[in-house]
Amino acid sequence: MNVQDAEKMAALLEPSGYETTDDPGRADLILVNTCSIREKAAQKIYSQLGRFRTLKEGNPRLRIGVGGCLAQQWGDRFFRRAPYVDLVFGTHQIHRLPEMVGELERTRGRIVETGFYDRVRSLGIPAQLAAGAVGTFVTIMQGCNNFCAYCVVPHLRGREESRPLPEILREVEMLAGHGIREVTLLGQNVNSYGQTLPEKTDFAELIGAIGKVSGMERIRFTTSHPKDLSARLIACFGGVASLCEHIHLPVQSGSNRVLRRMNRGYTAAAYREKVAALRRACPGISITSDVIVGFPGEEEGDFQETLELMREIRFDNLFSFQYSEREGTAAVGMDRPVCDSVKRERLRMLQALQEEHTLEKNRACVRRLEEVLVEGPSRNGSEDMTGRTRGNRIVNFPGTTGLIGKTISVRIVEAFPHSLRGEMEERGGADVH
Ligand code: 5AD
Ligand code: SF4
């Protein structure tokens, strides 16, 4: 969502004459988009801002702005540690950027805007497309009403709000017209899409509608909340041809006690049942997840239950985090905090187990024919091209740049921990569109 917001900012400032540059040394305006979901992301920001301060000493025209969740949370507290910052704008203020940047050009004063609106006005702003992009993101809803005990999102992004279906559909059609072949529908909890709209609709209906957009070969979405994963959505896998066979379904813990303290609204058994239903509807579907280790009160037995759930489900990939306390959340001050060394050790064990599973899953792809959407030259330093399978695995293979944006068939020949290697078999649906 943050990348998307940054692309929206670029699109918004274009009419005022701003262009994006990869070289901060040439910039007259640097906007830093911040995330504060975990402590680590929050810590990085000051070291980055420090580097920009040096640039400002060499270029008096340079203005520095900070947006995103951390800006929302800290507001004018930013100026105390980074007095060279000119603008702090919150998550609901993005649409006002042209106005705020205009003011910065005219005056030398500081601006802080962190108010919430009842509607997020930037929700409908299309993001600027990266040059040569094959896939892109489309925000379908923003905010969250779930209040998981560890999470800052509802506090910093505000309440859940969905974009009207026809507006999303128009954007996807426009993207398909510009040659985009894959769209990832974005929201904090896409499964509750539609609940804030006056007309009756839901996420399954949206997927069905996007599935009919000619030229949009692949649909993905993130993130799903297990408690809101409906039978109608599960039926879309297999039912909507362009919906890729992959779901990111964060479980967070395999222990009911911990899930309850986290306020997740489901049990480990209910999660297992959702996974079973997904696999019944779509055998071979890729399932990825998030886990937090060391939530307050997590005992060794709870952690073992998480490992047990992983061994049973065998996630295709897993993102794991040490719990970090976030200001303003319900978990602040909860009893029985877990010490850092235990968190570190649990994370290490969990990641070692997942590495085994990821490699096992990658190895199972060897000799299979996979449909790959070609994204561009590979980053592995060779002449290879790279793309992704429908299950979201990276595949590198010998090929030419003329294949970018095409869907091809690739025979997998080798599996690595984070990617696959393949050989092109034939041109698939490449010339259809
Ligand atoms: N501490 C650690 N991990 C967190 N996440 C969210 N909040 C926290 C926190 N306070 C993780 C969750 C979520 C992912 C995006 O980040 O696993 O699914
Ligand atoms: Fe945060 Fe929970 Fe909402 Fe996800 S569902 S954004 S973890 S509060």
Side-chain angles (χ1 to χ4, degrees):
M1 183 141 295
N2 265 28
V3 174
Q4 249 266 314
D5 279 347
E7 288 169 353
K8 283 184 185 175
M9 292 174 200
L12 271 170
L13 290 172
E14 214 179 356
S16 318
Y18 284 90
E19 284 171 23
T20 49
T21 172
D22 292 333
D23 176 7
R26 290 188 51 223
D28 289 322
L29 175 70
I30 296 180
L31 296 179
V32 183
N33 198 20
T34 61
C35 167
S36 74
I37 187 121
R38 291 175 298 275
E39 202 174 0
K40 251 196 186 154
Q43 277 164 356
K44 277 199 223 150
I45 190 71
Y46 281 113
S47 60
Q48 193 174 28
L49 279 175
R51 284 198 296 278
F52 296 148
R53 168 194 214 157
T54 329
L55 292 175
K56 206 169 178 184
E57 283 156 12
N59 175 9
R61 279 162 54 95
L62 177 62
R63 296 285 178 272
I64 299 178
V66 182
C69 294
L70 219 52
Q72 185 65 47
Q73 190 168 21
W74 290 351
D76 58 6
R77 281 189 282 164
F78 248 107
F79 298 135
R80 268 186 248 158
R81 269 187 72 178
Y84 44 90
V85 165
D86 303 286
L87 164 68
V88 176
F89 59 103
T91 53
H92 281 207
Q93 298 287 334
I94 295 175
H95 67 286
R96 293 190 50 222
L97 258 184
E99 186 191 325
M100 293 188 282
V101 167
E103 200 176 322
L104 280 185
E105 286 167 358
R106 286 188 301 276
T107 64
R108 298 202 57 108
R110 287 167 170 168
I111 303 176
V112 188
E113 294 290 353
T114 52
F116 268 179
Y117 292 84
D118 21 325
R119 294 205 49 219
V120 190
R121 313 280 169 89
S122 61
L123 209 50
I125 299 169
Q128 194 177 63
L129 278 179
V134 170
T136 195
F137 297 94
V138 167
T139 306
I140 62 159
M141 56 90 64
Q142 174 173 316
C144 184
N145 296 348
N146 283 319
F147 289 91
C148 300
Y150 51 82
C151 185
V152 281
V153 167
H155 306 273
L156 300 183
R157 287 257 178 199
R159 290 302 83 75
E160 187 180 302
E161 187 185 333
S162 297
R163 273 176 83 187
L165 194 148
E167 186 185 301
I168 299 172
L169 205 55
R170 271 198 303 279
E171 188 174 341
V172 174
E173 281 162 354
M174 184 271 293
L175 291 168
H178 280 85
I180 295 292
R181 294 288 162 258
E182 178 179 296
V183 67
T184 303
L185 307 175
L186 270 187
Q188 261 80 31
N189 179 14
V190 290
N191 299 143
S192 60
Y193 171 78
Q195 283 179 16
T196 60
L197 292 171
E199 57 277 13
K200 200 176 162 307
T201 183
D202 67 0
F203 189 49
E205 187 178 350
L206 177 68
I207 298 240
I210 296 177
K212 295 197 185 91
V213 175
S214 146
M216 194 52 81
E217 290 182 22
R218 290 181 167 190
I219 308 173
R220 300 186 187 280
F221 59 85
T222 195
T223 286
S224 292
H225 194 304
K227 79 174 165 54
D228 299 319
L229 178 65
S230 67
R232 270 170 59 78
L233 178 60
I234 293 176
C236 289
F237 288 105
V240 177
S242 50
L243 182 64
C244 287
E245 293 79 10
H246 169 222
I247 186 165
H248 185 64
L249 196 62
V251 63
Q252 312 297 3
S253 169
S255 150
N256 288 338
R257 256 173 21 91
V258 175
L259 287 171
R260 204 174 318 117
R261 279 169 74 98
M262 286 178 165
N263 191 29
R264 287 292 284 174
Y266 55 85
T267 60
Y271 185 87
R272 285 176 164 92
E273 182 38 48
K274 297 272 163 140
V275 168
L278 281 162
R279 287 182 168 155
R280 277 194 301 273
C282 182
I285 187 170
S286 273
I287 302 179
T288 57
S289 198
D290 292 342
V291 167
I292 297 175
V293 296
F295 187 74
E298 183 190 68
E299 288 172 11
E300 185 55 30
D302 299 305
F303 176 62
Q304 289 300 330
E305 286 183 48
T306 300
L307 297 181
E308 197 40 51
L309 181 128
M310 286 170 61
R311 281 194 200 97
E312 204 182 300
I313 291 183
R314 299 189 115 74
F315 292 110
D316 291 76
N317 208 347
L318 185 83
F319 302 90
S320 45
F321 313 98
Q322 292 182 39
Y323 168 70
S324 64
E325 190 170 272
R326 309 314 290 133
E327 191 184 308
T329 60
V332 171
M334 268 192 185
D335 57 332
R336 291 180 293 131
V338 177
C339 74
D340 282 352
S341 60
V342 171
K343 280 190 211 168
R344 259 199 308 278
E345 179 55 16
R346 287 184 185 163
L347 189 70
R348 196 194 57 74
M349 284 174 68
L350 189 145
Q351 288 180 340
L353 179 64
Q354 184 55 42
E355 267 171 39
E356 281 174 32
H357 293 171
T358 309
L359 189 58
E360 171 191 296
K361 291 270 181 173
N362 284 355
R363 283 193 178 132
C365 296
V366 173
R367 283 185 290 280
R368 269 196 229 150
L369 201 55
E370 292 276 358
E371 184 202 286
V372 172
L373 175 61
V374 187
E375 290 172 11
S378 159
R379 285 191 218 120
N380 65 7
S382 68
E383 306 261 282
D384 286 350
M385 298 301 288
T386 193
R388 278 170 201 268
T389 65
R390 289 176 62 98
N392 212 28
R393 289 188 168 77
I394 295 171
V395 183
N396 295 307
F397 62 97
T400 58
T401 50
L403 294 169
I404 296 173
K406 305 237 156 42
T407 306
I408 59 167
S409 293
V410 174
R411 180 76 62 187
I412 305 304
V413 294
E414 207 177 345
F416 301 103
H418 303 291
S419 66
L420 302 171
R421 188 163 175 74
E423 283 161 10
M424 205 171 129
E425 285 247 322
E426 52 169 292
R427 290 280 284 273
D431 297 323
V432 177
H433 303 289

